[in-house]
Amino acid sequence: HDVGTPRPTLPTIMDDDAKAAKRAEIEATVAAMQAEQKKLEEQRLSHFGTHDGITCDGCGATPLIGFRYRCRKCPNHDICDVCFERWDDGKGQMANGLAKQTISLDPNDHDFFVHKEKGFKPLVKTVGPTAKTVKKAKPNDPCPGGCGQKVKKCKC
């Protein structure tokens, strides 16, 4: 080690309290992101179905089945899942296969979101865990009341 050159410094070591605080901050951020992701997934499921009376402006499919994407920047512009995938969040192509209205073919001119009309009925009926169905006793099963008889002869 030369006398004129400074010694390399070691990275400072975080004390336990600082580590715990940083860990708690990271865990809170992850939990918030997971909650937001779950909320978005539940919202998407409630928007999945048949959108009667709606035609895809990209490919002309009618009715829209699946998710309906509506443009925030255009007055009346709806596309289906397939055309949304082609759009690729502004990096892909924008089609105007229906050609009933003037639509910019520049993907950057559009901002789509998952949309449903008032009264829309989703294909997915429940979100989250479903209730367990209670198994109905058969005539030759033992009585659930504990009397020792079969269900068909039980009087309890």
Side-chain angles (χ1 to χ4, degrees):
H1 173 18
D2 292 337
V3 177
T5 55
R7 283 189 150 195
T9 58
L10 295 174
T12 58
I13 299 173
M14 294 174 66
D15 64 352
D16 289 339
D17 290 339
K19 284 181 185 178
K22 188 67 175 174
R23 183 174 289 117
E25 178 186 337
I26 292 169
E27 288 171 351
T29 302
V30 168
M33 291 172 76
Q34 288 173 335
E36 180 67 21
Q37 187 175 16
K38 183 178 178 185
K39 179 183 164 192
L40 288 172
E41 186 61 30
E42 287 173 359
Q43 178 191 12
R44 282 189 55 117
L45 289 176
S46 71
H47 288 61
F48 185 86
T50 302
H51 300 268
D52 291 319
I54 305 300
T55 302
C56 176
D57 295 322
C59 64
T62 186
L64 282 184
I65 298 174
F67 296 111
R68 172 184 176 186
Y69 294 91
R70 186 165 196 129
C71 183
R72 286 185 175 95
K73 297 179 180 178
C74 300
N76 182 19
H77 185 35
D78 300 289
I79 59 173
C80 66
D81 283 325
V82 174
C83 291
F84 183 76
E85 291 295 322
R86 281 191 202 131
W87 177 65
D88 193 21
D89 213 15
K91 296 184 276 306
Q93 298 175 353
M94 179 52 55
N96 189 10
L98 190 59
K100 284 192 174 183
Q101 57 183 331
T102 303
I103 296 172
S104 171
L105 299 180
D106 183 355
N108 297 314
D109 290 342
H110 303 282
D111 180 20
F112 290 99
F113 66 100
V114 179
H115 179 73
K116 69 177 179 179
E117 293 290 329
K118 200 178 231 183
F120 169 76
K121 291 186 174 64
L123 289 177
V124 179
K125 300 288 185 213
T126 58
V127 175
T130 57
K132 246 187 176 176
T133 56
V134 178
K135 189 176 175 185
K136 187 176 178 182
K138 295 180 181 172
N140 287 327
D141 287 346
C143 171
C147 67
Q149 294 189 11
K150 293 182 179 181
V151 170
K152 66 182 175 183
K153 294 186 178 183
C154 176
K155 304 238 192 275
C156 62

